[in-house]
Amino acid sequence: MIPNQSTDEKELLLLVAAGDELAFRKLVLDYSGLVFKFIYQHLEDRPLAEEIVQDIFIKLWLTRETLAHLHSFRSYLLIVARNHAFNAIKKMVREKNKEWEWQQAIKPPDEEEAQHQETLFTLLEEAVGLLPPQQLKAWTLCRKRGLKYEQAATEMHVSRDAIKKYLQYANASIKKYISTKAPIGLL
């Protein structure tokens, strides 16, 4: 039985606010079914709904002093239940998204994708092999070995700007070669 917003309910809330455990037990008995039904309708997960009902009533006990000032405990309780249900739904969605992302991350690339990658790597190697010697050396030092422009310039005995130009020309040549040789739909 759910009490109406009456003097009895107000007195019950005042007793709970004062720390009366028996009054709190009565409050839990009177309202836990309503809260469970409300949450279960949204989540359709019995164990999770039971856990949320427990959490709600634990929090009510911990903040019991505020209950004395409520005008409609039932409305307040349903708002708290709604918020807990929404938070649980958001958490479930986040967990599903993480699970999906994890599955995508560990999923081996399909055969077609692996073939595309292999074709692109082959075309890249062919394009790099066709570069003039200075561009090839600058590209190898900076892109394959990971040297900074200054380091590559020192090793090649040229200026930093020369390295930058060699790489610009090399990248343009590589891009042009791959775009003309790659099968349609690969890029």
Side-chain angles (χ1 to χ4, degrees):
M1 175 189 132
I2 299 172
N4 295 328
Q5 180 62 30
S6 65
T7 311
D8 291 341
E9 181 182 85
K10 189 67 178 166
E11 288 175 14
L12 184 62
L13 293 175
L14 288 171
L15 289 171
V16 172
D20 187 326
E21 291 181 23
L22 291 176
F24 182 69
R25 284 187 188 156
K26 179 167 178 24
L27 194 71
V28 170
L29 288 173
D30 288 348
Y31 286 100
S32 60
L34 171 72
V35 173
F36 174 81
K37 182 178 176 183
F38 181 83
I39 291 173
Y40 184 75
Q41 286 175 341
H42 290 83
L43 302 180
E44 296 179 357
D45 182 337
R46 179 174 284 279
L48 182 58
E50 290 170 353
E51 184 180 328
I52 291 173
V53 170
Q54 282 184 338
D55 288 346
I56 289 171
F57 282 100
I58 288 170
K59 287 179 183 175
L60 283 176
W61 177 253
L62 295 174
T63 60
R64 62 189 171 273
E65 296 82 14
T66 62
L67 298 179
H69 307 293
L70 295 177
H71 296 292
S72 174
F73 178 70
R74 185 175 194 273
S75 297
Y76 172 77
L77 189 58
L78 290 176
I79 290 169
V80 169
R82 180 199 65 195
N83 291 343
H84 274 73
F86 286 161
N87 289 339
I89 290 168
K90 285 188 232 176
K91 183 178 179 185
M92 290 185 328
V93 167
R94 281 192 306 269
E95 287 172 357
K96 290 276 186 196
N97 286 340
K98 284 181 185 177
E99 181 181 327
W100 183 84
E101 289 171 1
W102 182 77
Q103 288 174 348
Q104 295 303 311
I106 64 167
K107 185 173 97 174
D110 63 4
E111 204 171 302
E112 185 177 338
E113 184 180 329
Q115 183 62 40
H116 287 312
Q117 287 179 351
E118 185 64 34
T119 302
L120 283 174
F121 287 132
T122 302
L123 289 173
L124 176 64
E125 289 299 319
E126 289 173 11
V128 169
L130 296 173
L131 292 174
Q134 290 294 85
Q135 290 179 25
L136 175 61
K137 184 155 182 148
W139 195 88
T140 302
L141 290 173
C142 293
R143 299 295 183 249
K144 280 194 172 180
R145 289 187 38 204
L147 296 182
K148 299 201 180 300
Y149 288 2
E150 291 82 11
Q151 295 169 314
T154 302
E155 190 164 322
M156 289 181 64
H157 306 294
V158 295
S159 70
R160 181 188 184 284
D161 288 337
I163 294 294
K164 190 173 175 181
K165 279 290 183 200
Y166 290 149
L167 288 174
Q168 287 173 346
Y169 292 139
N171 289 336
S173 295
I174 292 169
K175 184 176 178 181
K176 182 178 180 185
Y177 182 85
I178 291 175
S179 67
T180 58
K181 299 288 183 176
I184 295 175
L186 185 62
L187 298 176

